[in-house]
Amino acid sequence: GRMWRRREVTRDPLFWLMVPCLLGPATWITAFFFHQVHLAEVKGWAHATLVVLFPLFTLASVTFMLGAGFFVDRFGTRRLMPFYLLGMAAGFALFALASSPWVGAVALMLLGASMGMHATMMSTLWADAYGTANIGSIRAMLAAVMVLGTAIGPGMTGVLIDRGMDFAQQGYGGALYFIGASVLAGIASRRVPAR
């Protein structure tokens, strides 16, 4: 029944364990869309071929956003935390490996599925962990962290591209990042109150 204040949240290990989960999707998905022309060129695909696949990302995102709501209500946030970003890991690994646009289509659906789950999970996790009395100020802080991620992504990946590591190759790093974030989320899940 405790209702946390924003200042208290910033001192809680749960918040810091979840920061990579907050930053990751904003950072990597923004970078993906920012460097889409470069990615298509590296893969040897027409840019239009890659763009035609984008509705699959949206469809998967909306479907899993709604589906995650059902699973959160049924099982609780803490059980889903270690798993919901693994689609991102698989999606970026597939983009690193993809030689065919069809593999790229599967990768985009995995990325979209994780993005949809992320949207639902980030709405429910903080209310479960910190109560609802001050959720507006807490979510404003979390939104600032995600905006920081969108600012970091294109610049960080752009520097790596300039140094000879194309965005497709960076997909391996993205996959490792999301596996690490999932491990941290699993540790953090023990600190979320059980329903």
Side-chain angles (χ1 to χ4, degrees):
R2 179 181 174 189
M3 297 294 169
W4 295 62
R5 296 182 180 277
R6 184 163 60 187
R7 185 178 298 171
E8 295 173 305
V9 170
T10 60
R11 297 181 189 139
D12 183 31
L14 167 65
F15 168 73
W16 293 106
L17 286 166
M18 290 303 294
V19 162
C21 296
L22 282 168
L23 279 174
T27 301
W28 285 94
I29 293 297
T30 302
F32 172 83
F33 285 109
F34 194 86
H35 295 301
Q36 61 182 271
V37 174
H38 163 78
L39 179 62
E41 185 179 297
V42 165
K43 289 296 179 183
W45 307 338
H47 181 226
T49 301
L50 180 60
V51 171
V52 163
L53 302 176
F54 288 174
L56 296 174
F57 174 90
T58 304
L59 179 65
S61 183
V62 170
T63 301
F64 277 80
M65 189 182 302
L66 296 172
F70 169 79
F71 286 109
V72 165
D73 289 344
R74 185 169 181 128
F75 301 111
T77 308
R78 66 185 297 171
R79 290 188 184 170
L80 300 177
M81 285 170 63
F83 308 107
Y84 83 99
L85 286 178
L86 292 178
M88 286 274 184
F92 279 106
L94 272 181
F95 260 117
L97 295 167
S99 56
S100 158
W102 296 109
V103 179
V106 174
L108 269 173
M109 288 190 287
L110 288 166
L111 296 178
S114 268
M115 272 310 281
M117 292 182 73
H118 177 70
T120 300
M121 292 288 293
M122 290 300 104
S123 297
T124 58
L125 167 63
W126 309 109
D128 282 352
Y130 300 124
T132 56
N134 303 300
I135 199 69
S137 62
I138 292 168
R139 284 186 54 94
M141 176 181 66
L142 303 172
V145 172
M146 288 188 279
V147 170
L148 174 64
T150 64
I152 291 170
M156 174 190 72
T157 53
V159 167
L160 292 173
I161 289 168
D162 289 344
R163 295 192 175 183
M165 181 182 286
D166 64 53
F167 190 74
Q169 292 171 322
Q170 292 178 44
Y172 294 117
L176 289 173
Y177 178 95
F178 285 109
I179 289 169
S182 295
V183 170
L184 293 176
I187 296 167
S189 70
R190 299 174 192 164
R191 305 184 69 91
V192 178
R195 289 194 172 177

